[in-house]
Amino acid sequence: MHISRPRSILLAGAVAVTLSATALPAAFAAPSSTAVISEVYGGGGNSGATLTRDFVELANAGSAAYDLSGFSVQYLPGTPSAGSLWQVSALTGSVAPGGRYLVAQAAGTGGTAALPTPDATGTVAMSATSGTVALVSGTTPLTCKTAADCAADTRIVDLVGYGSAVVREGSGPAAGASATASVARGTSLADTDNNAADLAAGAPTPVNAAGETSGGAGPGDPGNPTEPGTVRVHDIQGTTRVSPLNGQSVTGVPGIVTGVRTTGSRGFWIQDATPDADARTSEGVFVYTGSTAPSVAVGDSVLVSGKVDEYYPSTTTQSITEITAPRVTVLSSGNALPAPVVLDATSVPDAYVPSAGGGSVDALALDPATYALDLYESLEGARVQIADTRVTGATTAYDEVWVTVKPNENPTRRGGTLYSSYTDQNTGRIKVMSLDTTRPFPVANVGDELSGTTTGVMDYASFGGYNLQATELGTLTDHHLRREVTRKQRDKELAVATYNVENLDALDEQAKFDTLAAGVAVNLSSPDIVSLEEIQDDNGAVNDGTVGSEATLKRFTDAIVAAGGPQYAWRYIAPVDGKDGGEPGGNIRNVFLFNPERVDFVDRAGGDATTPVTAVKTKKGVTLSASPGRIAPTNDAWADSRKPLVGEFRFHGKPVFVIGNHFTSKGGDQPLHGRYQEPKRSSETKRVKQATEVNTFVTSLLAADKSARVITLGDLNDFAFSPTMDALTDGQVLKPLITTLPEDEQYSYVYEGNSQTLDHILTSPGVYRFDYDVVHINAEFADQASDHDPQIVRVDVNARD
């Protein structure tokens, strides 16, 4: 979905000015017989002007296309000061023989008519009456400031001085430029290296590469042709992720309309019914119509003229090749659609994406037979089809569902697809959306099936990457996934759970409290201790200095009682206002709930938002300096992040230390499907620091009592195979319990169709006997109270006696 559509802005128009007023003509290089500056206009947007923007028009007098890759136009005022610099506008593409190439410059506040779609766009505010424009082989700013010095610079292909410009070709500049007049060459494009003779003043007549003028299309109406032009969709798509025609205008591109999107990023897809023989070049492309609803229908045979653009939804994603500012000619309707490409376990490669050593893969030639993302890119905008696919990510609030075309790829016990390594991606995952807004989207849970065939076009988005925009959606087969209920702890077992309750505050709807409470009382079977993450202050996102959570916790614990659970007590340390990250104003924190009928909390004064808790060695073992307390709360590892909460409990007379955590999120990491491969995990640095701090504290507890029972748990926002977990378990002071489960059960969270683990429970060597369970009640379901599944460990504290 397009939230905003920033386009690449290419600076245009470099002008050279001399500081010398010598009247001697400068001897430039031989007159150009190919690319020339054909028209210059600096009055756009001025008072009295018709056009709203300045422009520089290039032309090609030769018989072959003139490549502008790496070229620029540069501008300098007619009478420059000592500090005047050339302003550079980079160019791309080429000028067809006999064709034009339009460089738009700055807009003013006047005028009523827009330029035709430019081939390059700059921001130079050119003078209406005097200046110098140079066409330059290269993008390094010129340094010459006299006509003689510029004549000696071999990078200058052509140069036009107008008005009173002191840098010009020949005996004088072109005369007559004004707010209403440009200077332009005649139809012969003659270049004698004498600006005064070669260019004359007249009404501005900008023409772009498509032959369009400011009044619409040019001669022969190339903007709305009735015969196909020379460019096909596969020429636009090319053999890499970026179009070789990016930034260029195209005319009369033929195709059949295969899909229409009327909401969000409006537009339609076309596909060439006559493909080429190159598997790397897609035959489909998206035509972006902006705020205008598309006026075409599926099955229309069309000719599309417009500008090729690579739209990047964000700076780290791949791009979407599009035709923008389109002019469309409908030739016929009701045509058969091109046959879709079938995506299945045989056709989709096992390797995910080529490596670029952390750099961009944009320029790499596609290899669709080897890499899944290359295959999907080679089908961008084209029709594809899947059949009988298992749901691996439940239907979202945005009517999206994740499926896999590889039923045997890392399946979980309950029907998902397990994510278990940075180097072993699940290539069969794909997100499915629907272009049919008149029918309800199926509400699917993990393990359900999208039965029959689903057909549509391959698209790309910032969230999730490649996706199938369905024109024909399969039917949902409900496999009746059930929410789990863990067993009740035995009398001798201490049950400790962790649950991320997703920004719970006292102003939330009662239904949210009730559902979360049932998760604790019923599905977790009322643990003795519950470490909560994402408890907010009593008025949530209202940013008024409130930091307490008493009302939030009262509503929650009352709801647990109503659901059949015990009356929990609670402990927490309120954060300093605005210092613990999360939703602005929410003052997120970790909280301990505990059942005082089963377990005692050891209250020890001294804990506050900024005082670090320490381990205190005693004759009977180890205690905390404060309970509850916080681990190193002023350390920069916890800047703008939730601080760990430490509590000392007693169960059957035995001390147990519980550390509740909520490490910093993965926000800012580059996506798995993005343009940079391998993706950088920038957020990981802070989590490793946080894990190191927790490890240091646990080590201090064990140094005072090597048999201390320590349970560290919470939303660590990282995987069991991550450097974060390596730092947390360093020295074997903690054991991650997720790895004790069968591999197909090692997950608590589902993201983009991957079942993965962000939440963890770890125990110290002093915990000898335990029973651990991830209780699946949220992450696999479309209807969820939180996006995390809770976990529980039942510990026999007397097992070593």
Side-chain angles (χ1 to χ4, degrees):
M1 179 179 293
H2 291 257
I3 299 173
S4 62
R5 299 187 59 85
R7 299 298 182 189
S8 299
I9 298 177
L10 303 177
L11 296 178
V15 173
V17 177
T18 179
L19 297 178
S20 170
T22 179
L24 293 176
F28 277 75
S32 175
S33 60
T34 52
V36 293
I37 298 169
S38 52
E39 188 171 3
V40 176
Y41 176 60
N46 288 8
S47 176
T50 299
L51 295 174
T52 59
R53 301 186 74 148
D54 301 341
F55 70 87
V56 176
E57 181 194 275
L58 308 179
N60 182 3
S63 58
Y66 193 95
D67 188 5
L68 294 175
S69 300
F71 279 55
S72 64
V73 291
Q74 304 193 18
Y75 173 88
L76 200 66
T79 306
S81 66
S84 296
L85 300 174
W86 292 86
Q87 294 174 264
V88 179
S89 302
L91 307 178
T92 60
S94 61
V95 191
R100 299 295 191 271
Y101 184 101
L102 186 63
V103 183
Q105 293 291 5
T109 57
T112 57
L115 296 175
T117 303
D119 305 299
T121 303
T123 58
V124 179
M126 297 165 55
S127 168
T129 57
S130 179
T132 306
V133 176
L135 173 61
V136 181
S137 175
T139 56
T140 302
L142 298 171
T143 57
C144 57
K145 293 185 179 179
T146 67
D149 287 344
C150 288
D153 194 326
T154 58
R155 295 177 299 157
I156 297 176
V157 178
D158 193 22
L159 182 143
V160 170
Y162 62 97
S164 58
V166 293
V167 176
R168 71 271 185 155
E169 291 182 346
S171 59
S178 69
T180 58
S182 68
V183 292
R185 295 183 191 275
T187 56
S188 68
L189 300 178
D191 180 20
T192 66
D193 274 359
N194 188 341
N195 294 158
D198 293 339
L199 295 98
T205 57
V207 180
N208 65 12
E212 299 166 337
T213 71
S214 59
D221 198 13
N224 286 285
T226 57
E227 296 294 332
T230 59
V231 174
R232 296 295 184 266
V233 171
H234 48 253
D235 298 323
I236 294 172
Q237 288 285 8
T239 60
T240 71
R241 286 172 166 79
V242 175
S243 171
L245 303 180
N246 184 28
Q248 296 186 37
S249 296
V250 291
T251 303
V253 180
I256 305 295
V257 176
T258 58
V260 177
R261 184 159 58 200
T262 58
T263 61
S265 176
R266 296 178 177 181
F268 58 94
W269 288 267
I270 63 171
Q271 186 166 337
D272 197 325
T274 308
D276 66 5
D278 194 334
R280 299 171 298 177
T281 57
S282 176
E283 299 297 336
V285 70
F286 184 63
V287 180
Y288 175 62
T289 61
S291 60
T292 304
S295 58
V296 296
V298 172
D300 285 353
S301 175
V302 298
L303 301 176
V304 178
S305 303
K307 185 176 181 180
V308 178
D309 178 60
E310 290 291 343
Y311 168 60
Y312 288 88
S314 79
T315 57
T316 59
T317 62
Q318 296 188 49
S319 62
I320 305 163
T321 304
E322 303 175 340
I323 300 176
T324 63
R327 291 174 176 270
V328 182
T329 302
V330 178
L331 302 178
S332 62
S333 299
N335 295 279
L337 303 185
V341 174
V342 174
L343 301 176
D344 57 22
T346 301
S347 63
V348 177
D350 292 333
Y352 189 62
V353 65
S355 172
S360 172
V361 296
D362 280 354
L364 299 182
L366 297 176
D367 187 357
T370 303
Y371 300 107
L373 291 198
D374 283 16
L375 173 66
Y376 296 154
E377 175 64 21
S378 74
L379 297 171
E380 180 191 64
R383 277 173 41 91
V384 296
Q385 187 176 85
I386 59 178
D388 300 327
T389 50
R390 190 180 75 246
V391 173
T392 63
T395 301
T396 71
Y398 305 101
D399 288 342
E400 306 163 338
V401 67
W402 283 84
V403 301
T404 180
V405 300
K406 294 186 172 183
N408 297 320
E409 185 177 57
N410 300 320
T412 68
R413 180 175 62 85
R414 289 165 58 85
T417 295
L418 188 71
Y419 179 57
S420 58
S421 169
Y422 292 128
T423 59
D424 183 21
Q425 303 297 335
N426 294 308
T427 62
R429 295 173 305 117
I430 191 167
K431 184 169 69 174
V432 176
M433 306 168 71
S434 178
L435 292 172
D436 186 353
T437 59
T438 65
R439 298 182 180 180
F441 194 79
V443 180
N445 297 324
V446 168
D448 290 345
E449 184 177 282
L450 203 55
S451 301
T453 58
T454 294
T455 308
V457 291
M458 182 69 77
D459 194 26
Y460 183 87
S462 56
F463 293 101
Y466 293 99
N467 58 85
L468 193 162
Q469 297 280 337
T471 53
E472 302 169 32
L473 199 60
T475 57
L476 178 65
T477 299
D478 187 350
H479 285 180
H480 305 289
L481 187 70
R482 295 184 178 275
R483 302 181 198 272
E484 293 184 333
V485 176
T486 196
R487 71 170 177 84
K488 182 73 175 175
Q489 66 269 28
R490 301 182 179 92
D491 287 344
K492 68 175 182 178
E493 292 176 320
L494 174 68
V496 184
T498 175
Y499 198 0
N500 184 319
V501 292
E502 199 171 3
N503 289 329
L504 186 67
D505 72 77
L507 302 182
D508 282 332
E509 297 290 333
Q510 187 61 39
K512 180 175 182 179
F513 280 94
D514 292 343
T515 304
L516 290 168
V520 173
V522 178
N523 302 93
L524 287 173
S525 295
S526 300
D528 302 312
I529 301 169
V530 184
S531 181
L532 300 175
E533 301 87 53
E534 296 200 17
I535 290 288
Q536 293 193 330
D537 62 33
D538 286 335
N539 58 15
V542 178
N543 196 357
D544 63 358
T546 299
V547 295
S549 293
E550 296 300 303
T552 302
L553 293 168
K554 178 69 166 58
R555 282 191 67 188
F556 189 34
T557 54
D558 285 351
I560 292 173
V561 172
Q567 181 65 65
Y568 283 104
W570 61 80
R571 296 291 187 274
Y572 68 88
I573 293 177
V576 176
D577 185 34
K579 296 297 184 182
D580 278 21
E583 186 178 26
N587 287 311
I588 201 169
R589 84 285 312 275
N590 300 308
V591 173
F592 292 137
L593 301 184
F594 63 97
N595 180 0
E597 297 297 318
R598 292 260 308 160
V599 64
D600 297 318
F601 188 87
V602 180
D603 286 296
R604 191 171 292 113
D608 59 32
T610 59
T611 302
V613 65
T614 60
V616 179
K617 186 173 184 178
T618 71
K619 292 181 179 180
K620 295 183 179 181
V622 64
T623 63
L624 299 178
S625 62
S627 178
R630 289 176 132 194
I631 295 176
T634 60
N635 188 287
D636 65 358
W638 310 108
D640 198 34
S641 184
R642 290 75 58 171
K643 284 70 174 173
L645 183 68
V646 186
E648 185 176 335
F649 296 85
R650 288 193 174 272
F651 182 73
H652 291 186
K654 302 296 175 61
V656 178
F657 302 93
V658 179
I659 306 173
N661 303 274
H662 189 184
F663 287 1
T664 194
S665 77
K666 288 183 171 291
D669 288 3
Q670 294 174 350
L672 295 179
H673 54 75
R675 64 195 295 202
Y676 299 108
Q677 297 293 336
E678 291 76 14
K680 292 181 175 63
R681 303 185 297 272
S682 58
S683 69
E684 186 175 82
T685 301
K686 190 166 188 176
R687 283 193 301 279
V688 170
K689 289 181 179 179
Q690 294 175 340
T692 300
E693 289 299 315
V694 175
N695 176 274
T696 298
F697 179 76
V698 173
T699 300
S700 72
L701 287 173
L702 298 183
D705 181 359
K706 66 179 181 180
S707 61
R709 303 170 187 85
V710 184
I711 300 174
T712 298
L713 73 176
D715 179 2
L716 304 185
N717 269 314
D718 226 332
F719 311 120
F721 50 83
S722 67
T724 299
M725 194 60 64
D726 292 340
L728 188 57
T729 59
D730 186 47
Q732 298 184 329
V733 299
L734 290 169
K735 177 179 182 177
L737 301 189
I738 192 72
T739 58
T740 66
L741 296 177
E743 186 176 4
D744 62 357
E745 297 180 25
Q746 294 180 17
Y747 64 96
S748 64
Y749 189 81
V750 179
Y751 182 69
E752 295 184 349
N754 276 326
S755 294
Q756 55 197 38
T757 302
L758 299 181
D759 312 271
H760 295 270
I761 299 180
L762 303 92
T763 57
S764 67
V767 177
Y768 285 90
R769 186 175 300 166
F770 60 85
D771 181 26
Y772 168 72
D773 191 13
V774 177
V775 186
H776 301 296
I777 61 174
N778 288 315
E780 298 170 313
F781 295 88
D783 178 19
Q784 51 184 229
S786 168
D787 49 356
H788 294 253
D789 286 332
Q791 304 183 15
I792 189 168
V793 62
R794 292 169 283 263
V795 176
D796 183 350
V797 299
N798 297 309
R800 65 185 179 217
D801 290 348

